Amino acid sequence: MNNMILVAGATGDLGGRLCKHLIKNGASVRALVREESNQEKINELLKLGVEVIAVRFEDETGLVSACKGVSCVVSVLAGLREVIVTAQSQLLQAAVQAGVPRFIPSDFCTDFTQLQQGENRNFDLRKEFQSVLETSNIRATSVFNGAFAYVLQYDIPLLDTKAKTITYYSEKADWQIDFTTIEDTAAFTAYAALDDDAPRFLRIAGFQISPNELAVLAGRIFGEHFELKEQGTLEQFSAYIQKLRTENPDGEKQLYPQWQQMQYLYSMFAAHHHILDNNRYTGLSWQAAETTLHEINNNKIAQNGTGI
């Protein structure tokens, strides 16, 4: 079958990089974009040689037409229920009607199959769509990449370069946390989209690092001592998050309210990838933790004239 890959969400960072890697690997790429999508982003896709189709997800006929002749649909859509559940379900139904054999959902995160319902709102939406996907007549592959490595630049409690602290929970100072850059996730997913034998789940991590290891590495790269701080148990953290969520009902309409950001941190310590599929495809290189922290330090020097 012709390797025509349809990418939904191609104007985003991950989607754009995915298109580049697919084309580099010899695939034909068709991108679904919304009619109101950024024209500059669309022009970038066109320059790459991507076939761009503007469509409304409510337009079943248009979606089915866009899926004709496609060997795999890859969704890199981001949003709340109307996107992750509703729009992806519309796309899935169109793919099945068009005879597309494979579907990769927008599951680019920690392996949420290890988490309980309610522990991460955004992951719960992906679980809801997973239940729809599992009953459809199509072969699915989910790519779990852990946390995107760029979150470390935002002085989250796990790596706070301002307070010079490394926070962890439940005596998990040696817990290995999964991180992958967007670039490496895109490169791997491009291979997976072209792999007709890809399994239901693929788990990757550009690097796995514990709070203990992160403290040592941060101290060496930033030239400052980082203090390890145990911040109670995961159960206590979960209860605190739930309290914030209850007090902030408007956050249910936001993609990343404060309590949802905390749920992502919670997930880092509640689940990790015990077996990695990093070596399934050849020709991939993975950005290491050291490189990631060097980039963070260099960015801070560029912004402030000095490091932390």
Side-chain angles (χ1 to χ4, degrees):
M1 177 179 286
N2 173 44
N3 284 318
M4 169 64 78
I5 310 300
L6 186 147
V7 179
T11 56
D13 192 2
L14 176 59
R17 293 171 190 259
L18 173 61
C19 289
K20 290 178 183 178
H21 282 285
L22 285 167
I23 289 173
K24 177 183 176 182
N25 292 347
S28 299
V29 181
R30 183 179 296 163
L32 286 186
V33 301
R34 297 183 184 275
E35 294 172 344
E36 64 274 16
S37 293
N38 184 294
Q39 188 60 47
E40 185 176 338
K41 295 288 187 181
I42 292 175
N43 290 339
E44 291 176 2
L45 294 172
L46 292 171
K47 289 178 182 178
L48 286 174
V50 175
E51 177 189 359
V52 177
I53 299 178
V55 67
R56 292 180 295 106
F57 281 80
E58 300 82 8
D59 177 9
E60 181 179 342
T61 302
L63 275 183
V64 172
S65 177
C67 290
K68 290 289 186 181
V70 167
S71 55
C72 181
V73 168
V74 184
S75 171
V76 285
L77 297 170
L80 295 177
R81 193 177 192 281
E82 65 272 13
V83 175
I84 297 303
V85 180
T86 304
Q88 280 200 126
S89 295
Q90 292 164 334
L91 179 59
L92 173 64
Q93 184 178 12
V96 171
Q97 287 188 44
V100 178
R102 300 183 56 231
F103 193 101
I104 296 178
S106 187
D107 287 346
F108 302 100
C109 56
T110 296
D111 180 1
F112 54 69
T113 66
Q114 300 178 33
L115 299 173
Q116 298 297 314
Q117 193 77 10
E119 291 181 335
N120 187 302
R121 187 274 312 273
N122 289 358
F123 294 176
D124 287 345
L125 295 173
R126 285 161 172 78
K127 285 183 178 183
E128 186 176 349
F129 176 68
Q130 185 183 74
S131 66
V132 177
L133 184 57
E134 297 292 358
T135 60
S136 66
N137 186 27
I138 202 166
R139 288 191 293 113
T141 296
S142 291
V143 176
F144 292 133
N145 59 276
F148 284 117
Y150 72 81
V151 301
L152 289 171
Q153 70 181 299
Y154 294 125
D155 289 316
I156 60 175
L158 178 63
L159 174 65
D160 189 335
T161 62
K162 295 178 180 177
K164 301 177 182 60
T165 56
I166 306 290
T167 294
Y168 66 98
Y169 300 87
S170 296
E171 300 180 348
K172 290 193 172 185
D174 292 314
W175 179 260
Q176 295 288 308
I177 303 172
D178 305 295
F179 290 98
T180 313
T181 64
I182 295 177
E183 179 70 14
D184 290 346
T185 302
F188 183 90
T189 303
Y191 279 109
L194 296 169
D195 178 6
D196 290 338
D197 297 319
R200 178 66 185 87
F201 299 108
L202 289 168
R203 298 170 177 88
I204 59 174
F207 58 89
Q208 294 177 305
I209 192 166
S210 70
N212 273 331
E213 293 167 337
L214 186 58
V216 173
L217 182 61
R220 177 162 57 83
I221 291 176
F222 293 110
E224 298 275 359
H225 173 72
F226 278 72
E227 179 187 357
L228 277 163
K229 291 179 60 177
E230 184 175 5
Q231 198 75 2
T233 68
L234 276 180
E235 291 75 18
Q236 290 170 330
F237 189 31
S238 178
Y240 176 66
I241 295 170
Q242 185 56 51
K243 179 176 180 293
L244 287 184
R245 183 176 183 178
T246 302
E247 294 172 349
N248 180 27
D250 287 344
E252 303 295 344
K253 302 175 185 178
Q254 302 166 12
L255 186 56
Y256 298 118
Q258 183 184 22
W259 52 262
Q260 172 63 61
Q261 295 175 44
M262 291 181 179
Q263 286 185 332
Y264 274 105
L265 181 61
Y266 173 92
S267 300
M268 292 180 192
F269 287 95
H272 68 177
H273 303 163
H274 301 280
I275 298 176
L276 297 178
D277 296 296
N278 287 30
N279 295 326
R280 182 175 179 86
Y281 310 115
T282 59
L284 291 169
S285 58
W286 303 89
Q287 180 165 304
E290 183 171 1
T291 303
T292 300
L293 264 62
H294 270 301
E295 288 183 353
I296 293 171
N297 194 40
N298 291 338
N299 288 338
K300 289 183 179 294
I301 291 174
Q303 292 170 6
N304 307 321
T306 67
I308 65 170

